[in-house]
Amino acid sequence: MDLVLDDIKVDYRRRGATTHAVRGVSVRVRRGETLAIVGESGSGKTTIAKVAAGLRKATAGTVAWRGEGDDPEDRRPPARRVQMVFQHPMQSLDPLWKVRRSVAEPLRRSGLPGAEVQARVSELIEQVGLAPSVLDDYPRELSGGQAQRVAIARALVCDPEIVILDEPTASLDQTVRSRILARLSRLQDETGVGYLMITHDISSVRRLATRIAVMYGGLIVESGPAEQVLADARHPYTRALIDAVPIADPRVPWKAVAPLRRGPDGTFPDVACPVPGSPCARHGTGLHPIGPDRLVACTVR
Ligand code: ADP
Ligand code: MG
C-alpha cells in the first residue's frame, strides 16, 4: 500500500498570528521506494513529515492508504503501519530505558510471546549493523550514529510499510552518515519498506531517492524521478539548490540562493519563482505536468 497525502494544508496559530506552513501539498510514498523531500529550512518539510506520520492533524487535506496489495490479515491501525525517525535519535529513545526495551516497546502490545519479541529485537539490532551488546546499554552510552541505528531498529520492529526519516543523518559525521545510508538502502531491499526521507544533503538524495519533491514556502515546486530532477531540473529554485553543490564534494549541504521572504500575512509572496521578471514571479503558478510523473511549477520554457 502507498501512503497518499492529498492537498495538505497546515496553519500554525500562535499568539494571534497565523503561519501557513504547508499550503497545499500532494505526495505519494510508495512501498519499496524512497521519496526525498528537499528544501531549505522553514519550507514546511517537518510539518509534512508529522502529518504523514499521523503526529499532527492537517488543517485541510487527507492522508490515506491506497493501492494494490492490501493484506486483509493486516489489522494494524494505520498509525502502526507508518513510523518516524527524527533528526535527533534521542527524540525516539527514553533515556531511562535500555536499548532492548526501547526497541521492543512497539512490539509489546502485539501479543507476541516474549521470546519471539526478543528474537525480533536481536534480529533488528543485527540488521542495522550493531553488536548485540548494545541491547544492554542506555542511550547515553551510545554514540550519535549508534543511537540513530537504534532509532531505525525501533522504527522497523513492527514491520511498517512506510518509514518517515526527518533529516536522519544531519547530526552525524560524514563516515557515519554514509554507513547509515548504506544500511537504510539494504533494509529497503530486504523488507520492501518505503521511505519518506527529508534531507538537505545531496549525497543522501543521490544515493537513496527514487523520486524527489522540492519544497519551497510550503509548496512543492518540482517533483519527479530522482535521476530526471537531478539531471534536468526545471524550476529555478531547484536549479539553485542543485547548483549550490559542487558534485565533487557531496559533503556541502544544499543551500538556496534566495532566502524565503515571508509577507506580513504569513504567506510567501515571491514563492513562485526567484527569477525576477519571470511570468509567474508575481502570482505564482500551480504544478503542471512536463512528462510522466514529472511536475513543475514554472511557466518558463
Ligand atoms: P522545515 O522542516 O522545512 O524547516 P517546518 O515544517 O519545521 O519547516 O516549519 C515550517 C514553518 O512553520 C516555519 O515557518 C516554522 O517557523 C513554522 N512552524 C513550525 N512549527 C511550528 C509551531 N509548532 N508553531 C508555530 N509555527 C511553527
Ligand atoms: Mg525540519
Side-chain angles (χ1 to χ4, degrees):
M1 293 284 274
D2 301 341
L3 185 61
V4 180
L5 277 64
D6 188 34
D7 205 13
I8 297 292
K9 298 186 172 108
V10 179
D11 295 342
Y12 291 111
R13 290 193 182 79
R14 193 185 261 171
R15 285 186 231 102
T18 300
T19 303
H20 304 289
V22 174
R23 308 192 296 141
V25 162
S26 302
V27 287
R28 185 174 194 124
V29 193
R30 297 163 211 254
R31 293 257 312 147
E33 294 191 1
T34 300
L35 170 66
I37 295 189
V38 298
E40 71 186 320
S41 186
S43 58
K45 304 182 302 299
T46 292
T47 303
I48 278 291
K50 287 183 175 164
V51 169
L55 300 175
R56 166 168 282 281
K57 238 172 97 58
T59 310
T62 56
V63 181
W65 293 95
R66 297 232 183 86
E68 301 297 307
D70 193 15
D71 180 358
E73 296 295 302
D74 193 344
R75 300 193 190 288
R76 290 179 293 174
R80 301 197 73 76
R81 294 160 63 172
V82 48
Q83 291 292 318
M84 184 148 171
V85 172
F86 297 92
Q87 174 176 349
H88 300 289
M90 296 308 171
Q91 276 179 270
S92 326
L93 304 177
D94 188 318
L96 300 177
W97 289 2
K98 287 184 176 177
V99 166
R100 183 187 301 284
R101 182 169 175 198
S102 276
V103 177
E105 176 66 14
L107 263 185
R108 275 195 352 182
R109 262 174 293 168
S110 67
L112 212 60
E116 285 181 40
V117 171
Q118 287 315 315
R120 177 85 181 122
V121 167
S122 298
E123 178 190 32
L124 249 307
I125 283 296
E126 198 208 311
Q127 275 187 301
V128 298
L130 288 171
S133 60
V134 301
L135 286 168
D136 294 309
D137 287 340
Y138 288 97
R140 65 167 184 277
E141 299 175 272
L142 306 174
S143 69
Q146 287 176 321
Q148 194 58 296
R149 283 168 194 252
V150 171
I152 291 167
R154 179 183 154 89
L156 288 168
V157 77
C158 285
D159 224 355
E161 295 182 49
I162 304 292
V163 171
I164 297 166
L165 304 147
D166 189 2
E167 315 230 19
T169 59
S171 63
L172 307 172
D173 71 42
Q174 181 61 28
T175 319
V176 178
R177 171 179 304 178
S178 182
R179 288 206 199 109
I180 288 194
L181 291 174
R183 214 29 102 157
L184 284 169
S185 174
R186 207 162 114 186
L187 285 163
Q188 186 169 62
D189 293 344
E190 287 166 3
T191 64
V193 67
Y195 295 139
L196 173 59
M197 185 180 64
I198 285 162
T199 183
H200 276 84
D201 174 48
I202 188 164
S203 65
S204 307
V205 174
R206 289 186 190 281
R207 286 179 60 174
L208 241 55
T210 319
R211 287 159 58 247
I212 297 177
V214 180
M215 271 190 90
Y216 184 64
L219 290 170
I220 290 174
V221 295
E222 179 157 10
S223 67
E227 67 282 5
Q228 286 184 33
V229 174
L230 289 168
D232 184 25
R234 298 295 183 87
H235 195 279
Y237 181 70
T238 312
R239 288 200 202 129
L241 282 174
I242 293 173
D243 290 349
V245 182
I247 291 157
D249 186 358
R251 285 168 303 176
V252 180
W254 283 24
K255 199 157 171 283
V257 287
L260 290 179
R261 274 165 300 182
R262 210 184 272 283
D265 62 350
T267 65
F268 296 86
D270 55 351
V271 64
C273 186
V275 173
S278 89
C280 49
R282 262 175 187 285
H283 25 73
T285 178
L287 283 169
H288 59 266
I290 55 164
D293 195 27
R294 189 84 170 82
L295 298 168
V296 64
C298 180
T299 54
V300 183
R301 290 276 120 178

